[in-house]
Amino acid sequence: QNKTQSHSRGEYNVYSTFQSHEPEFDYLKSLEIEEKINKIRWLPQKNAAQFLLSTNDKTIKLWKISERDKRPEGYNLKEEDGRYRDPTTVTTLRVPVFRPMDLMVEASPRRIFANAHTYHINSISINSDYETYLSADDLRINLWHLEITDRSFNIVDIKPANMEELTEVITAAEFHPNSCSTFVYSSSKGTIRLCDMRASALCDRHSKLFEEPEDPSNRSFFSEIISSISDVKFSHSGRYMMTRDYLSVKIWDLNMENRPVETYQVHEYLRSKLCSLYENDCIFDKFECCWNGSDRQVEFLIVMTGSYNNFFRMFDRNTKRDITLEASRENNKPRTVLKPRKVCASGKRKKDEISVDSLDFNKKILHTAWHPKENIIAVATTNNLYIFQDKMN
Amino acid sequence: MLGKGGKRKFDEHEDGLEGKVVSPTDGPSKVSYTLQRQTIFNISLMKLYNHRPLTEPSLQKTVLINNMLRRIQEELKQEGSLRPMFVAASQPADPLSDNFREAQPAFSHLASAPLLPADLVSTMPLESCLTPASLLEDDTFCTSPAVQHDDGAAKPPPPALQAVKDSFSSALDEIEELCPAPTSAEAVAAEPAAGDPKAQPGEPDVHNKPEGLPEGRTAEPKLMDPLPGNFEITASTGFLTDLTLDDILFADIDTSMYDFDPCTSAAGAASKMAPVSADELLKTLAPYSSQPVTPNQPFKMDLTELDHIMEVLVGS
């Protein structure tokens, strides 16, 4: 479901709302399967309709979203309200014509891909061949064909023979944007593995392993937990990929495995609060990250991710500048330029700065998205969706 | 952070705790390191066993918390191995010593109160006394005979005690030796600990775990089952029943830590955890007790009865 706020020159209204998944009950385990959607991915558009994949913990669905703004009128055998006419009363014939009507948006489920995941699905990614896609849960990655719902192929399986030896899980996976046999998956230990499906049917052996050695000066009890990668996104060229862990965003060059080329601190001031954040579970929050969109073949220059207190952050890779903005109704009227925010980590708080202790950790921005072509962004807070636009437009 | 007023104090305390990275080898800051480590250990235990989800718990979260517990146990074990004293052994066949071993945590439950202030002074062997892991590891052998496997994940084998009963009395002596006169700070900590051990929070309620594992510990042997069906059913919770689960069941000696645990908010939360370890204890002590034993029955045995039972066990 979507609710929109108009916060920019354009006005936005809800386009369509539909129920994608329903809660289910797993009788075998006596546990409920939530209807909560974990990921949505759009398919590339081929005709007038839009297609998207949405997934909850267990089931992936392909939805077709189509518009209807005309309807035929003037049937010979049917009244306008649909009732059938008695053929004996028909005296003249006419040709039905299309007349405009109020826009109606219809969403219909086209495929249901079920029963392939024992663990909770955390990622789906559509391949550049536009025919297959992958779905990843905590321990396995499966490859599907969009047309075939009763079969999927397991391409990664990291489940140990003895579950008690389990120390690492898969946290995200994505296909390479250009190479249809290449994909990456990230882990709870902060590693990214790049795999080539041509190498073997089961890609348990990676082609590349991306991992940054731990900084000994920052070592703590929580080092492993905060290194867990919550999101991985390729740049459009496929030369770089971006990962999000609890405190930072890292840009990796696919040609260099031993460390990222850039690291951006999202909220370093939380490093001294990790114990509290562990206790209240915030340390397990999964933030996403995104590249800016561009219709030019230019390497992507701005990355964006969310934080707490309804803050979100943008990093400019060229200038190395960063900015913190807030998505809230109280502080921003529509059509005003967003004011940069600053968090005061310690010491004397300047005017307009917000101290770390007054941050609201219930107001978290986990999902942000950038329009693929224009400088329009969508930012999701707990109960609202904000759409912001570049003031230059 | 969530409730600004109250939590602010907590944060300040936590900030004092966390602050910079504290190396375990620093002198006076070793105390705060140990304190922090124990706090995190307790929080991790509570997280794993205290909630009762209607949906499957997140495997990622469970794995991360489990890794945290293992890491802390590793550390404690390594520190404890410097001077093996109270570290228990592999299983004896003798049922009497089985009961003895299970009663041992009960004993430590009493002894750990005075031990706690000693821990603040922080000598290595004391920490090993208080370590659940070393004792518990061997408890798993005697109470879950099917679980004979190596615990996986780089755990050094526990050093063996030669004669259990001998070491028990000598351990008693050592504890009394090591227990120093409490300082003022320690007395404050010791007071609530010693004053009301009955109210001390015990281990998390294992029987309240998700229904996927209703048999409790008896489901552990199923984990060894290579059949994929069983694995799938117990998958997300089953693998927890390695060391950790058994640690919980016998970790009475850990209970005193809960008292000054700054993270445990109310006694309400704590008291919820009390019944199960007591249940296990009750079950094993059933032959010696006149009370009927039922699971989930609140732990009603009082201190004098416990003393009596201990005498019976030790005396025979």
Side-chain angles (χ1 to χ4, degrees):
Chain A
Q1 294 187 333
N2 293 322
K3 291 188 174 83
T4 59
Q5 293 274 333
S6 64
H7 267 236
S8 66
R9 209 159 303 164
E11 291 277 335
Y12 292 91
N13 287 316
V14 174
Y15 177 69
S16 169
T17 303
F18 61 94
Q19 188 80 18
S20 173
H21 287 70
E22 298 282 347
E24 289 171 37
F25 196 77
D26 182 338
Y27 291 96
L28 207 54
K29 297 186 200 180
S30 253
L31 292 170
E32 191 179 272
I33 300 170
E34 283 185 300
E35 72 274 29
K36 182 168 79 79
I37 307 291
N38 296 336
K39 279 285 151 59
I40 299 171
R41 288 285 181 265
W42 292 97
L43 265 69
Q45 190 169 13
K46 285 190 210 168
N47 53 36
Q50 299 276 12
F51 286 85
L52 62 81
L53 283 176
S54 74
T55 185
N56 68 351
D57 286 337
K58 299 284 188 180
T59 304
I60 306 143
K61 294 190 184 180
L62 177 69
W63 286 90
K64 174 181 176 184
I65 298 149
S66 46
E67 291 182 1
R68 192 195 294 260
D69 61 357
K70 300 184 258 300
R71 69 154 184 245
E73 286 178 17
Y75 282 106
N76 292 294
L77 293 174
K78 268 198 295 192
E79 305 286 356
E80 295 308 330
D81 61 6
R83 281 181 303 136
Y84 281 97
R85 290 169 70 180
D86 182 356
T88 58
T89 64
V90 176
T91 54
T92 60
L93 288 178
R94 55 187 174 166
V95 177
V97 292
F98 277 102
R99 298 223 186 278
M101 59 179 255
D102 290 339
L103 178 66
M104 195 165 73
V105 180
E106 297 170 319
S108 57
R110 277 296 195 243
R111 306 269 186 278
I112 297 180
F113 306 90
N115 302 322
H117 284 280
T118 309
Y119 305 98
H120 292 179
I121 299 174
N122 53 53
S123 307
I124 44 179
S125 174
I126 296 163
N127 205 349
S128 47
D129 64 8
Y130 303 152
E131 284 185 349
T132 56
Y133 73 93
L134 63 75
S135 58
D137 66 31
D138 294 307
L139 297 179
R140 298 193 177 102
I141 301 180
N142 293 334
L143 181 70
W144 301 82
H145 192 284
L146 283 165
E147 300 290 328
I148 300 170
T149 58
D150 60 356
R151 202 171 10 162
S152 74
F153 296 96
N154 177 240
I155 51 178
V156 172
D157 187 342
I158 64 166
K159 183 178 171 182
N162 181 356
M163 276 297 271
E164 300 187 6
E165 290 166 5
L166 179 66
T167 57
E168 192 174 5
V169 297
I170 297 170
T171 53
E174 194 174 65
F175 264 118
H176 191 276
N178 302 324
S179 164
C180 59
S181 53
T182 309
F183 65 94
V184 294
Y185 67 93
S186 60
S187 83
S188 56
K189 287 195 175 173
T191 65
I192 307 107
R193 287 173 173 80
L194 184 140
C195 299
D196 190 327
M197 295 195 289
R198 294 166 296 192
S200 71
L202 188 64
C203 303
D204 277 356
R205 298 188 52 193
H206 52 263
S207 303
K208 294 198 187 197
L209 173 68
F210 298 84
E211 187 174 14
E212 182 173 28
E214 194 182 0
D215 177 4
S217 67
N218 268 338
R219 203 162 182 286
S220 78
F221 287 109
F222 307 101
S223 294
E224 186 195 9
I225 297 182
I226 62 170
S227 75
S228 177
I229 292 173
S230 52
D231 195 15
V232 62
K233 293 263 172 44
F234 276 106
S235 69
H236 265 225
S237 66
R239 162 113 188 261
Y240 297 101
M241 67 178 173
M242 165 167 59
T243 58
R244 175 71 154 97
D245 50 71
Y246 189 63
L247 295 180
S248 67
V249 166
K250 295 180 181 172
I251 312 282
W252 302 78
D253 183 328
L254 256 57
N255 297 320
M256 186 160 71
E257 294 171 58
N258 59 352
R259 61 177 176 82
V261 291
E262 292 151 37
T263 301
Y264 300 100
Q265 299 302 332
V266 181
H267 34 220
E268 179 71 12
Y269 46 78
L270 295 183
R271 194 178 288 275
S272 58
K273 307 282 183 192
L274 291 178
C275 194
S276 315
L277 294 166
Y278 179 61
E279 206 226 351
N280 64 19
D281 273 358
C282 282
I283 209 174
F284 299 106
D285 285 336
K286 294 186 195 167
F287 292 95
E288 293 177 357
C289 54
C290 65
W291 297 88
N292 70 320
S294 171
D295 57 0
R296 307 178 298 276
Q297 293 300 321
V298 168
E299 196 46 69
F300 288 79
L301 296 176
I302 307 182
V303 298
M304 176 169 68
T305 188
S307 176
Y308 294 105
N309 211 65
N310 281 346
F311 288 169
F312 59 101
R313 305 260 286 139
M314 290 194 203
F315 303 95
D316 187 322
R317 296 179 62 207
N318 252 3
T319 63
K320 303 297 182 217
R321 284 183 322 172
D322 61 85
I323 189 170
T324 304
L325 300 171
E326 182 178 2
S328 86
R329 271 191 264 193
E330 295 137 20
N331 299 326
N332 301 303
K333 292 194 176 54
R335 301 181 193 194
T336 59
V337 174
L338 291 176
K339 200 172 90 176
R341 299 271 177 232
K342 187 135 167 54
V343 176
C344 163
S346 59
K348 198 154 161 45
R349 186 175 74 91
K350 298 195 193 71
K351 181 179 175 307
D352 280 354
E353 281 187 359
I354 293 151
S355 85
V356 182
D357 295 316
S358 56
L359 292 175
D360 188 338
F361 288 84
N362 289 321
K363 293 185 181 167
K364 45 192 96 174
I365 292 180
L366 303 175
H367 309 286
T368 59
W370 206 301
H371 192 285
K373 295 221 164 59
E374 303 182 37
N375 278 345
I376 304 174
I377 59 174
V379 173
T381 61
T382 312
N383 291 316
N384 292 301
L385 179 70
Y386 292 79
I387 298 181
F388 298 108
Q389 190 172 317
D390 188 349
K391 65 184 189 239
M392 294 304 187
N393 278 8
Chain B
M1 285 191 252
L2 294 182
K4 290 178 189 170
K7 275 292 183 181
R8 193 164 294 202
K9 286 185 211 154
F10 170 69
D11 280 348
E12 285 168 2
H13 178 67
E14 282 297 310
D15 280 356
L17 266 187
E18 324 186 39
K20 299 288 181 295
V21 173
V22 180
S23 148
T25 56
D26 299 354
S29 49
K30 183 179 186 347
V31 172
S32 66
Y33 178 85
T34 316
L35 188 64
Q36 184 187 10
R37 180 173 61 193
Q38 191 61 53
T39 305
I40 294 169
F41 188 84
N42 297 343
I43 296 173
S44 307
L45 289 183
M46 277 166 28
K47 277 190 189 306
L48 279 182
Y49 295 107
N50 243 11
H51 83 125
R52 225 190 152 144
L54 299 165
T55 58
E56 262 179 287
S58 154
L59 186 64
Q60 178 192 357
K61 196 166 142 188
T62 311
V63 165
L64 289 171
I65 297 171
N66 214 45
N67 289 353
M68 176 79 87
L69 285 169
R70 279 186 181 150
R71 220 175 300 126
I72 294 178
Q73 284 172 354
E74 279 286 310
E75 257 188 41
L76 291 172
K77 217 187 187 77
Q78 279 168 15
E79 289 174 6
S81 67
L82 289 179
R83 198 182 141 184
M85 185 189 66
F86 221 4
V87 180
S90 46
Q91 70 279 25
D94 189 339
L96 187 59
S97 38
D98 275 3
N99 290 326
F100 155 72
R101 181 156 290 106
E102 307 207 11
Q104 192 175 16
F107 166 76
S108 331
H109 171 89
L110 304 173
S112 62
L115 268 179
L116 180 58
D119 189 45
L120 285 180
V121 175
S122 190
T123 59
M124 297 293 222
L126 282 170
E127 285 167 350
S128 72
C129 293
L130 299 169
T131 306
S134 31
L135 276 173
L136 303 171
E137 206 167 273
D138 303 279
D139 287 331
T140 66
F141 292 129
C142 44
T143 57
S144 311
V147 184
Q148 297 278 339
H149 64 290
D150 187 349
D151 285 318
K155 280 216 161 273
L161 272 178
Q162 286 73 26
V164 169
K165 287 181 190 175
D166 289 350
S167 68
F168 179 62
S169 3
S170 61
L172 252 181
D173 297 336
E174 281 182 316
I175 289 166
E176 284 162 8
E177 280 170 15
L178 287 164
C179 193
T183 63
S184 56
E186 292 157 353
V188 171
E191 241 177 339
D196 193 11
K198 192 165 52 161
Q200 277 177 7
E203 292 63 40
D205 186 353
V206 174
H207 289 287
N208 283 343
K209 275 183 63 177
E211 289 69 50
L213 207 55
E215 307 85 10
R217 288 188 302 113
T218 59
E220 289 162 38
K222 283 196 192 147
L223 292 175
M224 316 306 291
D225 190 339
L227 284 179
N230 284 347
F231 260 121
E232 300 315 297
I233 292 168
T234 59
S236 61
T237 53
F239 84 100
L240 291 173
T241 64
D242 53 356
L243 202 62
T244 340
L245 181 53
D246 297 323
D247 294 352
I248 309 311
L249 298 176
F250 300 96
D252 271 346
I253 52 179
D254 202 29
T255 62
S256 53
M257 298 297 181
Y258 281 93
D259 271 349
F260 70 84
D261 179 356
C263 300
T264 312
S265 43
S271 61
K272 208 167 63 163
M273 299 187 286
V276 179
S277 63
D279 287 342
E280 298 301 327
L281 196 57
L282 282 173
K283 277 186 196 155
T284 56
L285 296 175
Y288 301 95
S289 164
S290 53
Q291 287 185 351
V293 175
T294 57
N296 300 329
Q297 188 182 21
F299 184 60
K300 293 202 177 75
M301 202 184 286
D302 68 12
L303 212 53
T304 50
E305 270 190 334
L306 201 60
D307 275 348
H308 170 70
I309 289 164
M310 283 310 310
E311 277 175 62
V312 169
L313 292 167
V314 173
S316 54

